[in-house]
Amino acid sequence: MPEQLFQFLVTGITVGSTYALVGLGFALIYNASDVVNFAQGEFVMLGAMAAIALLGAGLPLPLAAILATLATVGVGLLLERFAIEPALGASVVTTIIITIGAAIFLRGIAMLLWGKDFHSLPPFTGDAPIQLGGATVLPQSLWVLGVTVALVVLVRLFFNRTLIGKALLACSFNRAAAQLVGINVRMMLRLAYGLSAGLGALAGILIAPITFSSYEAGVMLGLKGFSAAIVGGIGNPMGAVAGGLLLGVLESLGAGLVSSGYKDAIAFLFVLMVLFFEPTGLFGHKAAERV
Amino acid sequence: MRLAGFYLCVVVVVLLPMVFPNNYFVTVVGISAGLHAILAVGLNLLMGYAGQISLGHAAFFGMGAYSSAILTTRFAWPGVWAMLAGLMVTAVLAWVLARPILRLRGHYLAMATLGFGVIIHVIMVQATSWTGGPDGLTGIPPLNLLGWVVDSDTRWYIVIAATMLLAIWLSLNLIDSRIGRALRAVHGSEFAAQMLGINTSRAKTQVFIVSALFAAFAGSLFAHQQGFVSPDSFSLTISVELVTMVVLGGMASTFGAAGGAITLTLLHAGLVVFQDYEMLIHGVLLMAVMIFMPQGLFVGLSQAIRKIGHGLRSGNRP
Amino acid sequence: MALAGVSFQVSPHSIYAVIGPNGAGKTTLFNALCGFYQPSAGSVRFEGHELLGLPPYRIAAHGLARTFQNLQLFFNMTVLENVMAGCYLRARTGLIATALRLPKVRREERQLRAWAREALELCELGERAAQSAGALPYGLMKRVEIARALATQPRLLLLDEPAAGLNDTESMDLRDLIGRIRATGVTVLLVEHHMPLVMSVSDRLLVLDYGSVLAEGAPAEIQADPRVVSAYLGGAVQYAV
């Protein structure tokens, strides 16, 4: 039984890493613009599908992955420029619908380009399982973990050590004040979309060898990423990472111990419970309204 | 004159099948548009007027549908009783859920309602012994209203059109009243609403239940009209679609919500010709309307018309 | 902002002002009175009832109404609807009756409309009734808030910086309005920075500084109090009223 639990834990952390990256993307965009980008999952799907397509076109895997990520970053920037910027300052619901429209649009494009079939990426370094203290770990899981840790560290460094990262952080605290001290808020918005599109794409490419990908694959991943960001307290990047990991582990435990069919229900039940007891997430700050 | 728009609706709904008899877009698409309109008008009470977003409304739609389906096929209940039972179950669940869920705001509320919708959907797929699983339940008998069996497209048109008009009428009455103003006050400022003596959490609970009941009622009709139900009809996509209908037509407008529902349903039916391009066009339209007409199609249009009218009148002045 | 040892009494039908520099705790005091904040200790008694610990909507039912420093107007409604919303407590019809538009609802609506008109007339907003609340100039928006609060038929009206953002003419109009409100039998508790207004309209004043009471008394006493002059009025500045 302990081995089995350990196995669930490994699976959970692997899947949770993807949620963490997607959640991180949500948090980045939310910080820069107060917008929850419901097309975030589509970035994940685009990254995976583009990498698969490029690999199929004969490119080596590393190059395919890089190009797919860049292409998704491009899509993120276009989305920001043509759908988000024109509606700056619109209400929450309006922007939610715009990003939902964008998600449907991107799904439509993916369906046209790659059809409705499921596709898969070969593992980066073979699929011979590694025995690790009674649990079987796929090499790809290690890739997912390693790259996620590296990305999270990089994002942290970016926020804490670079001027541009601090500028982005400043926007999240007070956009008007940031503008006053000379920060180009629009530029920051683009940066946030580019970054989170890139993070999403990488998450997609990393997980594609483990789960299959299709034009619809982004929907659930996007929702789980959103859940991660919410559980962590929206706008708190590291909270989103923690939320993602927590969600992944819980889901994996639920699937293993209760029933795999109910794993999504268990994940969302957890989210609901968190919100019922902590209405602003586990690590969110309580915003006080002034009367 | 308060109900002028409503009477216009009645006239259009009555004339349509006479002007276009046996028209696919009236009797087939029209039925589905009418059902969506009921759902959207109900959701608009919660979203447009009380300002509480719900991304899980398909769950209530589904609860009505599955209650009718399960009780009529497995327990041979008469349709009307099954429908009432469905409404009761939905009301109780909405009541239990309302307080914790409506304490949340903005994106947290969106998440919670979305999560609720997904949970109900998973149950529909997984609780196979009750719901028939992914394949759903078939063989739901036609609705029998005191001996009048609703078993043809024309009869369904009558039932659903009448229900839709009733829904619109109830919504119009509610909004322009003490209760409706309290709801809108909650949307405008919860602080101020409380200082007027409005128990805001009670007001939100009430409208949440009413909105859920509209959806459950539509669900029961849907189950009988289709003759079968499956989880696909109550997925997250449908919840999102419902929100889209309300926002597309124009929030905080009963006619806007109904109009948005009808427009989007017709659009779907029309876009089928484009097959693989349907999603693409759908996505672009959504973005375009929200960017260029954030107040929604119908509200935007009516404002434009009023502006033109105003321009003409002031232009005529000497 | 924390409050400590603040205690005062407002006699019926009077105008009582609370003044103090920014951050003195004036709005905190209001929020505690209205139930938005729950103080850890203390007591708020109104007409023999203890209000502390009650939610705001119950406090409103006891006859307290207020306006807000940061406008809390219902921008999604017209001016008339805003004020009709203020009549909420004066009517009874529930959800089902209103949805079915029963005859008693029609009667009640007419009555609410008349009451709302009355409040609007008192605030000289009669001509603005049909306008959208969001389309009004700032000064009038503040007046709609007062009309809305009056529509609840309060016995105590709390005005939180009603003159903020108003020019001098508007402030003097406001002074007249506050006078008319008192004349209808409503007690007024006022937080305000505009000294000419405060000194001319109030019967008594409470001066807060850093969450505690600096002085209390009639306007003339306060103006003569050296502690108030140095702490709040800025030493050299004197107000002639």
Side-chain angles (χ1 to χ4, degrees):
Chain A
M1 196 63 191
E3 288 92 37
Q4 215 182 352
L5 277 179
F6 186 62
Q7 181 73 59
F8 295 148
L9 208 64
V10 170
T11 317
I13 292 176
T14 308
V15 182
S17 299
T18 331
Y19 299 163
L21 288 181
V22 185
L24 194 55
F26 269 106
L28 284 178
I29 288 181
Y30 182 81
N31 272 344
S33 62
D34 284 345
V35 171
V36 165
N37 172 30
F38 276 88
Q40 193 68 26
E42 272 55 41
F43 292 154
V44 183
M45 175 274 291
L46 281 181
M49 296 299 273
I52 291 164
L54 289 169
L55 193 74
L59 265 70
L61 182 62
L63 192 60
I66 293 170
L67 284 181
T69 309
L70 288 178
T72 312
V73 169
V75 170
L77 293 175
L78 287 174
L79 172 70
E80 192 281 332
R81 178 65 194 82
F82 291 106
I84 304 300
E85 259 187 49
L88 230 49
S91 72
V92 171
V93 184
T94 308
T95 43
I96 285 184
I97 304 279
I98 290 177
T99 60
I100 286 174
I104 297 175
F105 174 74
L106 292 177
R107 242 175 275 155
I109 288 199
M111 195 186 82
L112 280 180
L113 286 175
W114 302 303
K116 294 185 178 179
D117 300 330
F118 284 93
H119 301 265
S120 158
L121 207 61
F124 295 0
T125 47
D127 45 11
I130 305 162
Q131 291 298 324
L132 214 122
T136 324
V137 182
L138 289 173
Q140 189 63 30
S141 291
L142 296 179
W143 273 102
V144 174
L145 276 175
V147 178
T148 304
V149 169
L151 284 173
V152 169
V153 169
L154 277 177
V155 168
R156 265 212 92 117
L157 284 177
F158 170 72
F159 276 124
N160 293 342
R161 296 286 164 81
T162 67
L163 196 60
I164 203 165
K166 285 180 179 166
L168 192 57
L169 211 56
C171 285
S172 72
F173 288 122
N174 188 332
R175 216 156 306 132
Q179 185 118 44
L180 277 178
V181 297
I183 295 168
N184 184 340
V185 173
R186 253 171 213 226
M187 215 48 225
M188 291 299 130
L189 201 55
R190 278 174 211 166
L191 182 69
Y193 271 83
L195 253 172
S196 57
L199 284 174
L202 283 172
I205 296 166
L206 285 170
I207 200 77
I210 298 177
T211 61
F212 290 90
S213 195
S214 79
Y215 78 107
E216 282 186 318
V219 180
M220 227 352 133
L221 278 171
L223 289 186
K224 295 288 171 60
F226 181 35
S227 308
I230 286 279
V231 165
I234 195 148
N236 178 348
M238 293 307 130
V241 172
L245 291 174
L246 204 57
L247 207 62
V249 169
L250 253 151
E251 194 178 296
S252 156
L253 286 177
L257 301 176
V258 186
S259 136
S260 61
Y262 279 105
K263 80 174 169 46
D264 289 337
I266 291 167
F268 284 107
L269 196 63
F270 167 67
V271 176
L272 278 184
M273 285 305 133
V274 168
L275 288 179
F276 287 173
F277 293 104
E278 285 291 331
T280 52
L282 290 177
F283 316 105
H285 30 192
K286 322 254 170 301
E289 261 180 276
R290 263 182 76 83
V291 192
Chain B
M1 276 329 277
R2 193 177 66 89
L3 292 176
F6 174 70
Y7 296 129
L8 187 70
C9 273
V10 176
V11 172
V12 170
V13 165
V14 171
L15 284 184
L16 260 183
M18 298 181 183
V19 179
F20 305 102
N22 298 321
N23 183 312
Y24 171 78
F25 274 90
V26 174
T27 47
V28 179
V29 183
I31 288 172
S32 147
L35 272 173
H36 287 150
I38 299 166
L39 286 159
V41 167
L43 181 57
N44 180 50
L45 287 173
L46 179 68
M47 243 179 72
Y49 287 114
Q52 313 294 317
I53 192 171
S54 167
L55 284 173
H57 224 56
F60 295 120
F61 182 43
M63 287 181 60
Y66 270 95
S67 301
S68 281
I70 292 170
L71 291 175
T72 53
T73 59
R74 309 228 154 162
F75 300 93
W77 280 34
V80 176
W81 287 110
M83 181 183 277
L84 287 176
L87 291 174
M88 292 267 281
V89 171
T90 309
V92 170
L93 187 75
W95 177 71
V96 169
L97 215 58
R99 248 158 225 271
I101 243 183
L102 295 173
R103 225 157 47 99
L104 306 170
R105 285 160 207 278
H107 294 109
Y108 294 101
L109 180 61
M111 174 78 252
T113 50
L114 191 156
F116 163 70
V118 173
I119 291 170
I120 297 288
H121 184 251
V122 169
I123 293 174
M124 286 173 189
V125 176
Q126 295 298 328
T128 316
S129 55
W130 285 92
T131 62
D135 300 332
L137 292 167
T138 52
I140 301 164
L143 196 60
N144 186 330
L145 296 170
L146 303 167
W148 187 64
V149 182
V150 190
D151 55 1
S152 69
D153 281 350
T154 320
R155 287 183 172 193
W156 271 115
Y157 183 90
I158 295 169
V159 170
I160 287 177
T163 313
M164 179 187 80
L165 291 172
L166 178 71
I168 293 176
W169 182 72
L170 290 172
S171 166
L172 288 173
N173 287 343
L174 199 63
I175 280 325
D176 192 18
S177 77
R178 171 174 179 264
I179 301 291
R181 280 186 296 272
L183 283 182
R184 288 185 284 162
V186 169
H187 188 187
S189 158
E190 272 195 50
F191 291 117
Q194 294 198 344
M195 273 323 286
L196 300 178
I198 296 162
N199 181 346
T200 50
S201 70
R202 181 155 172 262
K204 287 196 265 185
T205 303
Q206 274 188 338
V207 73
F208 193 65
I209 295 172
V210 169
S211 183
L213 286 177
F214 272 54
F217 195 90
S220 286
L221 291 181
F222 176 78
H224 284 288
Q225 188 257 332
Q226 294 282 311
F228 81 100
V229 290
S230 78
D232 281 350
S233 311
F234 314 105
S235 64
L236 173 70
T237 318
I238 306 299
S239 287
V240 170
E241 195 98 307
L242 290 173
V243 171
T244 310
M245 287 170 180
V246 172
V247 179
L248 194 75
M251 293 239 281
S253 158
T254 302
F255 296 116
I262 293 167
T263 309
L264 212 61
T265 313
L266 292 177
L267 195 71
H268 271 302
L271 285 181
V272 168
V273 225
F274 297 103
Q275 289 172 358
D276 286 352
Y277 292 90
E278 190 199 328
M279 275 174 99
L280 214 72
I281 300 170
H282 184 186
V284 169
L285 279 175
L286 266 188
M287 286 192 279
V289 172
M290 284 298 99
I291 291 170
F292 298 112
M293 260 192 200
Q295 70 279 61
L297 274 178
F298 287 82
V299 176
L301 277 179
S302 73
Q303 274 172 3
I305 290 168
R306 221 172 291 156
K307 220 174 262 173
I308 293 167
H310 190 77
L312 287 179
R313 248 174 291 144
S314 53
N316 286 343
R317 254 180 234 146
Chain C
M1 187 65 226
L3 291 170
V6 177
S7 177
F8 63 101
Q9 269 195 325
V10 182
S11 45
H13 311 302
S14 68
I15 298 178
Y16 193 97
V18 180
I19 62 170
N22 280 326
K26 303 182 299 292
T27 296
T28 307
L29 176 68
F30 265 28
N31 284 339
L33 291 182
C34 294
F36 286 122
Y37 298 157
Q38 296 300 345
S40 45
S43 170
V44 178
R45 298 197 63 87
F46 179 62
E47 295 177 343
H49 299 281
E50 177 60 54
L51 298 188
L52 203 74
L54 294 182
Y57 72 92
R58 298 271 308 275
I59 290 176
H62 273 101
L64 237 84
R66 76 172 278 189
T67 65
F68 297 84
Q69 186 186 341
N70 302 331
L71 272 180
Q72 300 285 325
L73 217 52
F74 308 134
F75 291 118
N76 50 343
M77 297 191 221
T78 66
V79 170
L80 182 67
E81 284 172 330
N82 262 275
V83 183
M84 284 175 81
C87 301
Y88 181 81
L89 283 171
R90 296 163 79 179
R92 281 284 153 266
T93 50
L95 181 83
I96 293 170
T98 53
L100 298 174
R101 201 85 182 171
L102 299 178
K104 67 171 177 184
V105 177
R106 290 164 204 263
R107 277 197 300 277
E108 196 180 81
E109 278 289 295
R110 270 196 298 277
Q111 179 64 66
L112 291 188
R113 206 171 292 265
W115 280 331
R117 287 260 174 215
E118 236 170 71
L120 282 174
E121 293 304 333
L122 185 73
C123 297
E124 295 173 330
L125 284 163
E127 288 155 26
R128 304 286 187 162
Q131 283 185 14
S132 166
L136 294 181
Y138 183 74
L140 292 185
M141 287 187 186
K142 302 206 79 157
R143 207 106 63 79
V144 176
E145 269 206 349
I146 298 179
R148 185 180 67 189
L150 285 175
T152 65
Q153 239 184 353
R155 290 184 297 287
L156 175 62
L157 175 63
L158 278 60
L159 299 175
D160 197 351
E161 300 202 14
L166 302 190
N167 62 34
D168 280 344
T169 343
E170 288 173 324
S171 299
M172 288 306 109
D173 286 348
L174 180 68
R175 183 182 63 186
D176 298 342
L177 175 58
I178 295 174
R180 286 202 300 276
I181 291 170
R182 188 240 297 264
T184 62
V186 178
T187 312
V188 178
L189 184 58
L190 178 73
V191 159
E192 190 46 69
H193 278 304
H194 193 278
M195 280 308 130
L197 175 73
V198 171
M199 293 302 170
S200 65
V201 83
S202 21
D203 301 315
R204 284 189 84 77
L205 273 92
L206 178 78
V207 188
L208 283 185
D209 197 18
Y210 297 110
S212 54
V213 178
L214 196 65
E216 210 254 3
E221 294 164 31
I222 295 295
Q223 278 172 309
D225 192 322
R227 284 174 307 166
V228 178
V229 172
S230 67
Y232 181 53
L233 299 177
V237 188
Q238 273 284 3
Y239 284 88
V241 183

